[in-house]
Amino acid sequence: MNAKSRVAAAATVAASAVLVLSAPAFAHVSVSPEGEAAKGGYATVNFKVPNEQDDASTTKVEVAFPGDHPLASVMTQPVPGWNVKVTKAKLDKPLEIHGEKIDEAVSKVTWTADGKGIQPGTFQKFPVSMGQLPENADALVFKAIQTYDNKDVVRWIEPQQKGQEEPEHPAPTLELTAASDEHGGAAAKDDAKAGTEKAAASDDSDSSDTTARVLGIVGIVVGAAGVAFGVLAGRRRTAA
């Protein structure tokens, strides 16, 4: 390759790099917890929906809930400018939550704009309280469908494969943390309370024993004094 060819090739590579670096990094629908999402517990999460189009607004968002790990309790928070619909489905295998059997769970939540929706250059958060989170999973995958007012539909449904690059339209994924030690903490508090009560009872017992001993000694002294007085009085009468 001559000098001119090398220069041309270098210029092409440089131009490609500039295009890659200047290309916009499109956001995608995601889900994240407020605080933590612990296995076996309950959590409040936010579905974050950005608008990726310059000339259209998002007017509808549908989020499908995982069927392999159904959630019996799902509550939505009102979002100004949006109507919400919660869809439930029968379970093939009922769940047992707090001693009660649940035969249906939320399968989908749909938000529909009653105004302008999510306009270009903005995003919207949709809060949801959910539980009981599974104890035998490390993450929950939610498939989302985003609809624009120009009829375009974007399906955020591709699962993230471990060790591979992020897909073009990844499904929102909620990472679960280790189970909280709430029961252990309560037990520790109960143990501490019991120890305090035991110590107080022991102090009361010691105090009672001390009082009894003092009263006993006083009684002995008083009794001895009484005997001595009686003997002295008898001697005086005899002498008279």
Side-chain angles (χ1 to χ4, degrees), residues 4-16:
K4 290 184 178 181
S5 298
R6 286 196 295 270
V7 171
T12 301
V13 171
S16 300

Side-chain angles (χ1 to χ4, degrees), residues 195-206:
T196 302
E197 293 175 348
K198 184 177 180 180
S202 177
D203 291 343
D204 291 342
S205 177
D206 292 343

Side-chain angles (χ1 to χ4, degrees), residues 216-232:
I217 293 173
V218 172
I220 293 173
V221 172
V222 172
V227 171
F229 180 80
V231 171
L232 181 59

Side-chain angles (χ1 to χ4, degrees), residues 8 45 51 53 56 69 101 127 132 136 167 193 196 213 223 232-233:
V45 305
N51 192 318
Q53 296 197 13
H69 296 292
K101 287 189 175 181
Q132 184 172 0
N136 58 344
K193 182 179 179 181
T196 302
R213 285 195 290 269
L232 181 59

Side-chain angles (χ1 to χ4, degrees), residues 20-21 40 49 55-56 145 149 154 173 190 196-197 203 206 223 236:
V20 170
L21 293 175
V49 182
D55 55 356
I145 299 177
D149 58 10
V154 182
T173 302
D190 291 341
T196 302
E197 293 175 348
D203 291 343
D206 292 343
R236 287 177 178 177

